[in-house]
Amino acid sequence: MSVDESELGTEEAHRALVEVIAQRHSAVQARITDAGGSLERTRVLAVTKTHGIEVARAAIDVGLVDLGENYGQEIERKAPMLDRPEARWHMIGGLQRNKVKKIARYVALWQTVDRIELVSEIAKRAPGAAILIQVNTTQEAQKSGANPDKLPVLLEAAHDSALDVRGLMTIGPTDGSDPAPGFALLRSLADNWKLPEVSMGMTADLERAVQEGSTMIRVGTALFGARPAAGQAP
Ligand SMILES: *Cc1c(COP(=O)(O)O)cnc(C)c1O
């Protein structure tokens, strides 16, 4: 079998990308342990949103099998292209009800369930699916996520719909204030409801999240560099 030059170029580019991402992954792991965390306790979700499929492929080959996407149409486009059966796609962006059906077959974990209509739609399109309830822990009005006082109702609905509630997810404050109180709140809510998964922490605030007991940090920039603007991805 002959390998033409463009394929060779692609293979070389892939190897170079794997090397860069592996180094950055090591740096992220060092940040976790330097913050007093452990790599067994806190998993790294690689946020590939707006990056091309080659980035997702390289991430998998570094061992980052959990991939996060914000836009339903991006999961729809990328998931069938990714020739890596070990990949696990996580929906981490604001979710519209009418997008659930199209991506249901690809999503391993729905992280942004924050209202009853999403509970029913996911239960209908992906029976028994694993979900996280997204909680707005910072009381910022414009932010998605359920109010903490809505949690009991959502958990009950998810339970009644036979969804597998793995835990809770939150996004730190967007105004630059200390993320620790919101993270501590999410951790205490998860403990209270005996939920194992606590998804919190991103590139800028992962140390605080690790210190407050994050089981999954969602990291894009620290692994892949600055993102191309949404819609411009190849
Ligand atoms: C984009 C995004 C991330 C990753 O952000 P970085 O700052 O690039 O690490 C994590 N979580 C959510 C919900 C996001 O939208």
Side-chain angles (χ1 to χ4, degrees):
M1 196 169 73
S2 73
V3 178
D4 75 17
E5 249 183 280
S6 67
E7 279 176 30
L8 202 64
T10 305
E11 186 49 41
E12 268 168 28
H14 176 71
R15 273 202 298 272
L17 197 53
V18 165
E19 198 170 307
V20 170
I21 296 171
Q23 280 170 10
R24 289 175 171 169
H25 183 211
S26 299
V28 168
Q29 290 182 316
R31 285 177 64 181
I32 294 172
T33 51
D34 287 352
S38 91
L39 304 179
E40 288 72 45
R41 180 176 173 75
T42 308
R43 203 154 24 121
V44 177
L45 168 68
V47 179
T48 48
K49 67 180 178 198
T50 77
H51 289 288
I53 194 69
E54 75 285 354
V55 168
R57 202 172 276 134
I60 299 277
D61 291 351
V62 168
L64 290 158
V65 297
D66 291 287
L67 306 177
E69 290 287 341
N70 276 52
Y71 306 100
Q73 61 269 34
E74 240 187 300
I75 294 187
E76 223 184 319
R77 185 169 55 81
K78 287 180 184 173
M81 289 165 72
L82 186 62
D83 45 354
R84 298 290 190 278
E86 62 270 53
R88 288 169 43 87
W89 294 98
H90 296 237
M91 182 58 187
I92 62 168
L95 188 54
Q96 288 163 291
R97 199 181 62 84
N98 62 3
K99 289 279 155 51
V100 169
K101 184 184 175 187
K102 289 184 169 157
I103 57 173
R105 82 188 76 159
Y106 304 122
V107 175
L109 182 61
W110 304 83
Q111 294 212 10
T112 50
V113 179
D114 62 357
R115 52 195 195 276
I116 296 281
E117 65 162 10
L118 286 177
V119 169
S120 3
E121 185 67 9
I122 293 170
K124 183 171 163 191
R125 305 297 180 187
I131 67 165
L132 305 182
I133 306 285
Q134 182 179 357
V135 181
N136 183 350
T137 50
T138 58
Q139 310 295 329
E140 292 166 282
Q142 80 286 2
K143 221 160 75 179
S144 50
N147 266 326
D149 61 4
K150 296 272 166 30
L151 197 52
V153 171
L154 279 168
L155 288 170
E156 194 184 352
H159 181 79
D160 291 348
S161 310
L163 289 177
D164 176 17
V165 185
R166 306 292 309 150
L168 306 178
M169 178 272 206
T170 200
I171 298 173
T174 49
D175 61 2
S177 61
D178 182 9
F183 291 161
L185 172 60
L186 195 74
R187 159 54 62 187
S188 74
L189 291 168
D191 288 349
N192 190 39
W193 293 97
K194 300 188 168 49
L195 298 167
E197 199 78 73
V198 186
S199 170
M200 57 189 189
M202 314 188 351
T203 291
D205 56 15
L206 70 87
E207 280 86 357
R208 305 301 295 207
V210 164
Q211 284 158 1
E212 299 298 339
S214 173
T215 61
M216 196 189 310
I217 53 172
R218 308 177 306 266
V219 183
T221 311
L223 290 171
F224 309 125
R227 271 183 289 278
Q232 290 175 12

